[in-house]
Amino acid sequence: MNSKGRITYNLIAGTSVERLAALSDGIFGVAMTLLLLDLHVPEKDLVVRVGLWQALHGLLPSLAVYLMSFITLGIFWVGQQTQLNHLERSDRQLTWIHLAFLFMVTLLPFSTRLLADYMEQPAALLVYWFNILLFGLALYASWGRARRAKLIRDDLPFETQAAICNRIIVGQSLYAFGALLFVISTYVSIAFILLVQLNYVFAPGEWLKRKSDRG
Amino acid sequence: MNSKGRITYNLIAGTSVERLAALSDGIFGVAMTLLLLDLHVPEKDLVVRVGLWQALHGLLPSLAVYLMSFITLGIFWVGQQTQLNHLERSDRQLTWIHLAFLFMVTLLPFSTRLLADYMEQPAALLVYWFNILLFGLALYASWGRARRAKLIRDDLPFETQAAICNRIIVGQSLYAFGALLFVISTYVSIAFILLVQLNYVFAPGEWLKRKSDRG
Amino acid sequence: MNSKGRITYNLIAGTSVERLAALSDGIFGVAMTLLLLDLHVPEKDLVVRVGLWQALHGLLPSLAVYLMSFITLGIFWVGQQTQLNHLERSDRQLTWIHLAFLFMVTLLPFSTRLLADYMEQPAALLVYWFNILLFGLALYASWGRARRAKLIRDDLPFETQAAICNRIIVGQSLYAFGALLFVISTYVSIAFILLVQLNYVFAPGEWLKRKSDRG
Amino acid sequence: MNSKGRITYNLIAGTSVERLAALSDGIFGVAMTLLLLDLHVPEKDLVVRVGLWQALHGLLPSLAVYLMSFITLGIFWVGQQTQLNHLERSDRQLTWIHLAFLFMVTLLPFSTRLLADYMEQPAALLVYWFNILLFGLALYASWGRARRAKLIRDDLPFETQAAICNRIIVGQSLYAFGALLFVISTYVSIAFILLVQLNYVFAPGEWLKRKSDRG
């Protein structure tokens, strides 16, 4: 194939935002459900020895890590959706940036099991953080590509475009700071990252702001 | 990011009902298929000893629990769909309420295996019921949020809006009563919950009503 | 909730054909991919002893059963799609008929493993056939409901409506005959069912007909 | 059913491109996520002996194979999407060609595990390459069918139609050449195939061309 043929192909390849969104929903859906697949029902032996309530109680730390990963996936699913909602169309390069993003999504169940099994080891925490960092880099690259290639809908005000980038930078700075706290203790790290996440989920700042506007 | 930046971001985040519906279908689809993954083909040893029919017969109680969980997921999938069908749009908070709902969905295969393995233990039954309770709370919170934030389509009559809430309250009361029956026997509990579910599936009341209207 | 409230709810519940199609695609997608999950890579010991080609060769019978199940799922996915494409809307009862259909879909990976493990046992073959029979009954009931409740689009000619029913009856008769062949040998049964399926996939009758029309 | 009834049925069966796309996204999503499911967290014994960093380091070759398979799936997902985006509608035969394509997709996690486990064996490499070849044959057959049955949208220029075929032929020739390199070493084969894939992902030719156009 001469270079002209390939360029023609590349112009028409991967232009559907809808298909990209559908594949993403599929991968996020599977990854979110598989997280919990490693939460095993307590063994009969253990239940006979300590009772079922006690055995279930022992699963709570793992459950907390799985919940944290579900929230992580939720945050980045919302983040990706927010970008895709404002795209007029996709192109081949943007599609591959998102496929890279989705590869990171399929890695998270591994990083989660690693952290659940080795919670006290800095290596496990750093792998987990690195996974989150790659999420952020991919979404940042995606938005940059969308701006350069003019894939964004016209009706999106410039300040909102900037807000999407700022959001990623502030979030990733907080995650990086949280990961660095491993020098004190990996548990402090995990607690800090969970707090940052809950802040994104509940957005208490927004709520306080609106309350003061009305008050 | 100053608080203004974040509020701008939060205004545009998670507004797509379609993406939320697609992610939900993905997660429900995976969870519904994974339920049965724990139904293992009988071992060769057992088959040699008692024959294949007999060995398959021994799987029936587990199959009943998986069927019950499939119906549970079906009921709440229909319930969530009914809400989403009437939304004009979503917002960030509604999206997170539904992500919490979906986390409960990913928990159900675990609760199901727990109940299948420890059918006679009140703890297993109460965990299962608690999972159903959280489904109800999430859908109730979702509808409340949708009403407060005016996300519901204009053409939905007020009485239908109320019917959605009533439905959840009545259903959850019946499930709670069923769960309480564990003081008699967990098998009575399971039978009662299954009857409530079959009532929702076949809706015999509606059928009798229509018959008497015509008669 | 009084009976009026419930009827109002039931009128608005489960009306989206799109959501039903999306859930079906999710469940079919997972079930089709999980079929192959039981195809295990040959063990190192075996490979050392007989070589990799020989070890892979031993997987071919299992692969044939998985292929047969993939075709089964494909045939019924096309069958369900053909029905849903012609619906104006869904209702609560049709939705539950399709949820029952989807439960059968989640059962097929189990029936498949059973048949792959016990290919020479009539019980395994009859369970597999029973699964296919339930597919047919669900699709037949679905079309009946759609006709009674006037959910079908106006533009569908009556003869096509009848063709959908006939298709199911003829197909199921052939499957039932194939299953009965187990009295000769389960392998004859499997071969016959596979031939029926390949007939549906390649539709040689249609091809010969068109050729004679042109010739 | 007489042959007329069947032909009527076959005319209306499998006509929805949207459903085909949705099923494909489901299957690709599950297959892409399952690839990584075999990446197991290091055992406690190993971690105690060599440390977690060292144990994670040992996973890198497997991770590289999984990444290669993810890219393979990504390339063919983009390729299939590019075809489907330009179809006006589907028909029964095109649907079955794509179902055959999707069967190959569900085979890839098996081929991947095989290659990850037996990287130095030509048989594993040839099975992997054969899987890619079948992808190409299916997509080529799909485009041929779409052209013959006039399923393609009118607005697609003829040269783009040709580009899609050329793309497949050139790509498959490169893969076949890469696979043949196993006579030197399977590692050379894998490296060559990975380079071909990275060329498709990053499309450096396109980038250089545009640069020289502007310069």
Side-chain angles (χ1 to χ4, degrees), chain C residues 134-194:
Chain C
L134 291 173
F135 283 169
L137 288 178
L139 284 190
Y140 197 84
S142 150
W143 199 238
R145 170 71 196 163
R147 291 170 101 169
R148 272 197 313 282
K150 303 196 192 323
L151 305 172
I152 301 171
R153 288 204 190 137
D154 291 337
D155 59 352
L156 193 67
F158 179 76
E159 61 200 28
T160 319
Q161 291 194 28
I164 287 178
C165 286
N166 287 342
R167 172 82 169 191
I168 297 171
I169 293 170
V170 176
Q172 288 294 332
S173 308
L174 290 168
Y175 287 128
F177 178 76
L180 269 174
L181 291 174
F182 85 89
V183 296
I184 306 175
S185 147
T186 55
Y187 292 101
V188 175
S189 270
I190 293 172
F192 185 87
I193 290 174
L194 203 51

Side-chain angles (χ1 to χ4, degrees), chain D residues 95-134:
Chain D
T95 298
W96 275 105
I97 293 172
H98 279 271
L99 285 171
F101 173 72
L102 293 173
F103 183 68
M104 307 311 156
V105 171
T106 68
L107 265 178
L108 197 74
F110 173 79
S111 311
T112 303
R113 281 193 299 270
L114 192 70
L115 189 59
D117 286 5
Y118 298 102
M119 237 183 258
E120 73 298 335
Q121 295 246 22
L125 185 85
L126 291 175
V127 166
Y128 194 89
W129 162 74
F130 189 63
N131 208 329
I132 291 182
L133 175 67
L134 291 173

Side-chain angles (χ1 to χ4, degrees), chain B residues 75-121:
Chain B
I75 287 171
F76 285 96
W77 179 78
V78 171
Q80 189 209 20
Q81 189 209 113
T82 305
Q83 288 197 11
L84 292 185
N85 285 351
H86 293 97
L87 295 187
E88 189 67 43
R89 59 194 171 80
S90 177
D91 69 358
R92 216 189 57 81
Q93 272 163 278
L94 191 86
T95 298
W96 276 104
I97 292 171
H98 279 271
L99 286 171
F101 173 71
L102 293 172
F103 183 68
M104 306 311 154
V105 171
T106 67
L107 266 178
L108 198 74
F110 172 80
S111 310
T112 303
R113 282 194 298 271
L114 191 70
L115 189 58
D117 287 5
Y118 299 102
M119 235 182 257
E120 73 299 334
Q121 295 245 19

Side-chain angles (χ1 to χ4, degrees), chain D:
Chain D
M1 183 162 52
N2 58 30
S3 72
K4 183 153 178 304
R6 182 186 294 168
I7 291 171
T8 310
Y9 180 83
N10 284 342
L11 280 180
I12 60 159
T15 57
S16 168
V17 181
E18 289 74 31
R19 286 294 307 269
L20 193 55
L23 183 70
S24 304
D25 290 331
I27 289 179
F28 269 100
V30 179
M32 283 168 158
T33 321
L34 288 183
L35 285 178
L36 268 283
L37 210 65
D38 271 283
L39 197 68
H40 293 298
V41 168
E43 299 288 330
K44 301 255 171 191
D45 300 357
L46 183 70
V47 172
V48 168
R49 228 170 43 240
V50 302
L52 188 51
W53 281 121
Q54 194 62 31
L56 288 171
H57 195 260
L59 295 176
L60 285 183
S62 296
L63 188 61
V65 173
Y66 292 122
L67 179 60
M68 183 171 93
S69 284
F70 193 94
I71 296 176
T72 302
L73 287 176
I75 287 171
F76 285 96
W77 178 79
V78 171
Q80 188 208 21
Q81 187 208 117
T82 305
Q83 288 197 12
L84 292 185
N85 285 349
H86 294 96
L87 295 187
E88 190 66 42
R89 58 194 174 82
S90 178
D91 68 359
R92 217 189 56 82
Q93 272 162 277
L94 190 86
T95 298
W96 275 105
I97 293 172
H98 279 271
L99 285 171
F101 173 72
L102 293 173
F103 183 68
M104 307 311 156
V105 171
T106 68
L107 265 178
L108 197 74
F110 173 79
S111 311
T112 303
R113 281 193 299 270
L114 192 70
L115 189 59
D117 286 5
Y118 298 102
M119 237 183 258
E120 73 298 335
Q121 295 246 22
L125 185 85
L126 291 175
V127 166
Y128 194 89
W129 162 74
F130 189 63
N131 208 329
I132 291 182
L133 175 67
L134 291 173
F135 283 168
L137 289 177
L139 285 190
Y140 197 85
S142 150
W143 199 238
R145 171 70 196 164
R147 291 170 99 168
R148 273 197 313 282
K150 303 196 194 321
L151 306 172
I152 302 172
R153 288 206 189 134
D154 291 337
D155 59 351
L156 193 67
F158 179 76
E159 62 200 26
T160 318
Q161 291 194 29
I164 287 178
C165 286
N166 288 341
R167 172 82 168 194
I168 297 171
I169 294 170
V170 175
Q172 289 294 331
S173 308
L174 289 169
Y175 287 126
F177 178 76
L180 268 176
L181 290 175
F182 86 88
V183 296
I184 306 176
S185 147
T186 54
Y187 292 100
V188 175
S189 270
I190 294 173
F192 185 87
I193 291 175
L194 203 50
L195 276 177
V196 172
Q197 290 183 323
L198 292 176
N199 178 50
Y200 281 126
V201 174
F202 292 106
E206 184 191 1
W207 185 80
L208 287 169
K209 176 83 170 40
R210 268 191 320 195
K211 197 159 180 183
S212 75
D213 283 358
R214 272 180 294 183

Side-chain angles (χ1 to χ4, degrees), chain A residues 25 42 44 160 170 200 203, chain B residues 1 12 19 22 92 110 117-118:
Chain A
D25 289 331
K44 301 255 172 191
T160 319
V170 175
Y200 280 126
Chain B
M1 184 161 54
I12 60 161
R19 287 291 309 266
R92 216 189 57 81
F110 172 80
D117 287 5
Y118 299 102

Side-chain angles (χ1 to χ4, degrees), chain C residues 47-183:
Chain C
V47 172
V48 168
R49 227 170 44 238
V50 302
L52 188 50
W53 280 120
Q54 193 62 32
L56 288 172
H57 195 260
L59 295 177
L60 286 183
S62 297
L63 189 61
V65 173
Y66 293 122
L67 178 60
M68 183 171 91
S69 284
F70 193 93
I71 296 176
T72 301
L73 287 176
I75 287 171
F76 285 97
W77 179 79
V78 171
Q80 188 208 22
Q81 188 209 115
T82 305
Q83 287 198 11
L84 292 185
N85 285 350
H86 294 97
L87 295 187
E88 189 66 41
R89 59 194 172 80
S90 177
D91 69 358
R92 216 187 58 81
Q93 272 162 277
L94 191 86
T95 297
W96 276 104
I97 292 171
H98 280 270
L99 285 171
F101 173 71
L102 293 173
F103 182 68
M104 308 310 156
V105 171
T106 67
L107 265 178
L108 197 74
F110 171 80
S111 310
T112 303
R113 280 194 299 270
L114 191 71
L115 189 59
D117 286 5
Y118 298 101
M119 237 183 257
E120 74 297 334
Q121 296 246 20
L125 184 85
L126 291 175
V127 166
Y128 193 87
W129 163 72
F130 189 62
N131 208 329
I132 291 184
L133 175 67
L134 291 173
F135 283 169
L137 288 178
L139 284 190
Y140 197 84
S142 150
W143 199 238
R145 170 71 196 163
R147 291 170 101 169
R148 272 197 313 282
K150 303 196 192 323
L151 305 172
I152 301 171
R153 288 204 190 137
D154 291 337
D155 59 352
L156 193 67
F158 179 76
E159 61 200 28
T160 319
Q161 291 194 28
I164 287 178
C165 286
N166 287 342
R167 172 82 169 191
I168 297 171
I169 293 170
V170 176
Q172 288 294 332
S173 308
L174 290 168
Y175 287 128
F177 178 76
L180 269 174
L181 291 174
F182 85 89
V183 296

